[in-house]
Amino acid sequence: MDILKILTKKYNKAILFLLEKYGTLHYSAIKKSLNNVHDHLLTKALDELVEAGLIKRELENPNIRPSRVLYSLTDLGKMALNIYSIAKKIEDSRIKVIGNNNIIINNVSSSNINIKK
């Protein structure tokens, strides 16, 4: 399983950040936080994250049917979030946009680069 590929998917990344911020969440809370994403997309993203070991899935009370499902970060999931933080710091230190069409990468200046916002 390619962890980097999993981490770059839109909903996967959002789910990891939600669980980091709020801790353990029910399926419905995750869905609501993601602006009511379609069930099949959310289920696919959650299953992928569970399979990769980035989050864990638990039943709130397995003796009651239907049982509510809880999701939380694993230690591996917390490490994955550190990857985002480190990558952001590297990117912020490498690239500086000056004006509308000038960019500096690693202290090498280049002009007339179109930057789409």
Side-chain angles (χ1 to χ4, degrees):
M1 181 166 300
D2 186 355
I3 294 291
L4 289 177
K5 187 175 181 182
I6 291 169
L7 292 176
T8 57
K9 292 184 178 178
K10 178 181 176 180
Y11 292 117
N12 293 0
K13 185 166 84 170
I15 291 166
L16 291 174
F17 282 113
L18 278 172
L19 294 175
E20 178 187 42
K21 184 174 182 178
Y22 297 108
T24 301
L25 290 173
H26 289 102
Y27 177 94
S28 59
I30 295 170
K31 182 175 179 174
K32 187 175 181 179
S33 295
L34 296 176
N35 296 319
N36 292 313
V37 60
H38 291 285
D39 283 322
H40 71 281
L41 291 175
L42 180 55
T43 299
K44 182 179 177 182
L46 290 167
D47 288 348
E48 192 170 44
L49 291 167
V50 168
E51 186 179 321
L54 298 173
I55 65 173
K56 64 181 175 180
R57 179 185 191 272
E58 298 177 282
L59 297 178
E60 186 173 52
N61 187 344
N63 298 325
I64 297 175
R65 297 282 185 235
S67 183
R68 294 179 67 181
V69 178
L70 298 168
Y71 293 92
S72 59
L73 280 177
T74 63
D75 289 338
L76 184 61
K78 292 173 187 173
M79 286 192 295
L81 287 170
N82 286 334
I83 292 170
Y84 283 120
S85 176
I86 291 166
K88 176 85 171 104
K89 288 177 185 176
I90 290 169
E91 194 63 24
D92 288 348
S93 69
R94 284 188 65 234
I95 298 176
K96 295 181 182 179
V97 177
I98 302 171
N100 289 333
N101 295 319
N102 296 318
I103 189 166
I104 295 176
I105 302 174
N106 289 334
N107 297 323
V108 176
S109 181
S110 176
S111 61
N112 298 323
I113 295 175
N114 293 327
I115 300 172
K116 295 181 181 179
K117 295 180 182 180

